[in-house]
Amino acid sequence: MHAAISAVLTELSPLDLSRWQFGITTVYHFLFVPLTIGMVFLVAILQTAWYRTQNEKFLKLTKLFGKIFLINFAIGVVTGIVQEFQFGMNWSDYSRFVGDIFGAPLAMEGLLAFFFEATFIGLWIFGWDRLSKGLHLATIWMTALGVVLSAYFILAANSFMQNPVGFEINEAKNRAELVDIGAVLTNIVALNQFPHTITASFMFAGAVMVGISAYHLKRNQQVAAMGTSLKLGLWTVIVGGLGTVLSGDGLGLAMVQTQPMKMAAAEALYNTAAPASFSIFTWGTPDGKSELFSVRIPNLLSFLSTHTLDGKVEGLNDLQAQYVAAYGPGDYMPVIWITYWAFRWMIGLGMLSILIAAVGLVLTRKNNFALPKWAWNIAIWASPIPVLAISLGWLFTEMGRQPWLVFKLMKTSAGVSPGINGVDVLISLIAFTLVYAVLAVIEMRLLLAAAQAGIEEPKKTESADHLAVAY
């Protein structure tokens, strides 16, 4: 028995386990990122409404959703630290090869954006009864600015992996070295990925606001305030959704330009076509080399990829042949079924969120909140749909780049740390997963407690100024 267990442990692949560990920690951490990005702006909008109108319901809503933002931000910071560790633990060869470039935007994020937002978060938390109302309002908007700056620097780092620019290879040291930070920060992928990520984050934050509001409206609680936050959340989902669609078009064009294999995998397009049709459903051979059956919309893929109805879109087999000729023997296709279905579920769930929000606006027109319980239940349970779509989008982005860790420069298999073994990674994988499970329980209990408590009702002796004391 012990011999069998020992044999299994010996066969554990450090590469596969390292990929699983980074994937799990990244997806888990990213659950908090879009809610932080979107919610800070919604809190700023609510506080601005209170500043301009002095209507106490906006102050109460600012306090409620401010709690949601702060809880989520704190857990997000903790989970993000683990990702940094992995670059040295499991991916040291990757860090050595691109650290000069990849580290630059990450350093900007940590030393500039994060400290910027953390400073103003502190001023916002403790400045309710110490700063003037106008100055205090400015702190939450400055926090929002810091949050989006932080997001941009991280996306710029990731975009280098998708489309490496601004570097040169030092042959003597066998590493990529930064020569143009401007090119890294203005990478075409980053410029298109940023608005796509931000608008998708608004969708998620809006959906969470809708879910919390629906919970109380279902019970006929705090109707005036929750009706207002419900409408704000619904409009945020719709506006954010439309922005996601428009920015997704630009990101798709950038993807065709920089990573044609990823676009071909997203559509399960095996052979180059002009014009190219869009696949609603495709069934391929077990080896993933050809198509057996599909349902397609004529010319649509050409339009999405080139903005022309007869544009040429390169296929998987042709790109595979090109990459073999350029980079040597190997399989340069990602896992087709993952990229294909992740792309479709991303789009489908995003559109479903927009549809639910639009129906919600129709049902609650003229402030009609006397809806059946099933309608409120749909609003509540639809809250996580946008973050599922976002997570699938990142799964598509990262899996669609495979087998490259840095596109055309370094394969994933070459980036793993040479000194680790499968047992070491398995132990850390289990440990991190358990810690994350504990954090998930803590996060959900805190969020649910804040959401179910709803807005704070002031005591009769309290003034609006006293109500605004820090949490």
Side-chain angles (χ1 to χ4, degrees):
M1 183 67 170
H2 291 293
I5 295 175
S6 178
V8 171
L9 293 176
T10 302
E11 293 298 319
L12 291 174
S13 167
L15 172 61
D16 292 338
L17 288 172
S18 294
R19 292 181 67 185
W20 271 104
Q21 180 170 304
F22 198 85
I24 290 171
T25 55
T26 299
V27 170
Y28 184 87
H29 169 65
F30 198 75
L31 294 176
F32 307 101
V33 173
L35 185 56
T36 295
I37 294 172
M39 191 59 72
V40 68
F41 280 95
L42 292 178
V43 172
I45 290 170
L46 287 169
Q47 187 169 342
T48 301
W50 172 62
Y51 177 79
R52 292 177 64 86
T53 67
Q54 296 302 301
N55 188 326
E56 278 195 6
K57 73 175 180 181
F58 292 116
L59 174 60
K60 296 172 185 176
L61 290 172
T62 300
K63 302 278 284 181
L64 167 60
F65 291 104
K67 288 180 181 177
I68 302 298
F69 162 67
L70 291 174
I71 293 168
N72 189 77
F73 177 83
I75 301 294
V77 170
V78 173
T79 58
I81 294 173
V82 176
Q83 288 183 284
E84 304 290 339
F85 291 160
Q86 290 180 82
F87 290 124
M89 292 167 50
N90 297 351
W91 301 98
S92 61
D93 274 3
Y94 164 77
S95 299
R96 181 191 58 79
F97 183 70
V98 299
D100 190 57
I101 307 158
F102 194 78
L106 289 184
M108 292 178 180
E109 189 274 332
L111 298 175
L112 175 63
F114 178 75
F115 279 106
F116 183 86
E117 64 186 274
T119 298
F120 283 104
I121 284 177
L123 290 172
W124 185 71
I125 293 173
F126 298 107
W128 280 96
D129 56 346
R130 295 174 175 85
L131 303 175
S132 68
K133 290 180 179 179
L135 186 57
H136 186 257
L137 174 62
T139 63
I140 190 63
W141 281 108
M142 295 304 287
T143 299
L145 175 61
V147 167
V148 296
L149 282 174
S150 182
Y152 189 84
F153 289 132
I154 292 173
L155 289 173
N158 177 267
S159 296
F160 177 82
M161 300 169 70
Q162 316 293 335
N163 178 43
V165 294
F167 72 99
E168 63 181 21
I169 298 295
N170 185 322
E171 299 291 348
K173 297 181 179 180
N174 190 28
R175 66 193 296 261
E177 296 183 347
L178 181 66
V179 295
D180 187 354
I181 185 61
V184 174
L185 296 178
T186 59
N187 191 328
I188 186 175
V189 176
L191 293 176
N192 287 278
Q193 200 173 59
F194 175 70
H196 194 59
T197 302
I198 298 300
T199 51
S201 298
F202 288 154
M203 287 184 69
F204 181 36
V208 169
M209 181 172 282
V210 168
I212 293 173
S213 304
Y215 174 85
H216 292 282
L217 291 171
K218 175 184 175 181
R219 292 162 175 76
N220 200 33
Q221 299 171 346
Q222 308 160 359
V223 175
M226 290 301 170
T228 298
S229 60
L230 178 78
K231 292 294 185 70
L232 175 60
L234 291 171
W235 276 112
T236 301
V237 173
I238 292 175
V239 174
L242 294 177
T244 304
V245 171
L246 293 174
S247 59
D249 177 64
L251 184 57
L253 292 175
M255 183 168 60
V256 171
Q257 177 181 333
T258 59
Q259 293 178 295
M261 179 69 85
K262 185 185 290 187
M263 174 56 82
E267 298 303 328
L269 182 69
Y270 288 91
N271 299 306
T272 300
S277 56
F278 181 89
S279 167
I280 300 296
F281 176 84
T282 292
W283 185 264
T285 56
D287 63 2
K289 300 298 182 183
S290 60
E291 174 187 310
L292 294 176
F293 172 78
S294 66
V295 177
R296 295 180 173 274
I297 300 176
N299 301 88
L300 182 56
L301 181 57
S302 286
F303 180 77
L304 294 175
S305 301
T306 67
H307 280 188
T308 64
L309 292 176
D310 58 353
K312 176 182 176 182
V313 182
E314 294 183 283
L316 290 163
N317 294 329
D318 298 302
L319 289 167
Q320 167 68 16
Q322 293 176 28
Y323 290 176
V324 168
Y327 308 110
D331 185 358
Y332 294 93
M333 293 187 189
V335 181
I336 305 302
W337 70 268
I338 293 179
T339 51
Y340 179 84
W341 287 111
F343 188 66
R344 268 141 194 79
W345 277 103
M346 173 192 69
I347 295 173
L349 291 174
M351 298 306 293
L352 177 61
S353 295
I354 297 173
L355 176 62
I356 292 173
V359 172
L361 281 177
V362 173
L363 292 177
T364 57
R365 64 188 183 277
K366 298 181 180 179
N367 293 329
N368 171 34
F369 302 121
L371 302 180
K373 289 186 176 180
W374 62 263
W376 294 124
N377 287 335
I378 290 176
I380 294 169
W381 289 103
S383 297
I385 291 178
V387 78
L388 292 176
I390 294 170
S391 298
L392 286 166
W394 276 108
L395 179 66
F396 164 73
T397 297
E398 299 306 303
M399 290 294 291
R401 189 184 65 245
Q402 299 303 317
W404 299 102
L405 189 53
V406 182
F407 190 58
K408 297 183 179 181
L409 289 183
M410 172 180 258
K411 290 186 177 180
T412 304
S413 57
V416 70
S417 299
I420 61 172
N421 58 59
V423 176
D424 293 336
V425 183
L426 180 62
I427 292 172
S428 64
L429 172 60
I430 294 172
F432 283 137
T433 302
L434 290 175
V435 170
Y436 275 15
V438 172
L439 289 175
V441 172
I442 295 172
E443 161 89 356
M444 290 307 300
R445 288 177 67 89
L446 291 173
L447 287 179
L448 288 174
Q452 291 171 356
I455 60 176
E456 298 178 3
E457 294 294 346
K459 298 177 182 178
K460 292 182 179 180
T461 57
E462 286 184 326
S463 67
D465 287 338
H466 285 108
L467 181 65
V469 172
Y471 299 100

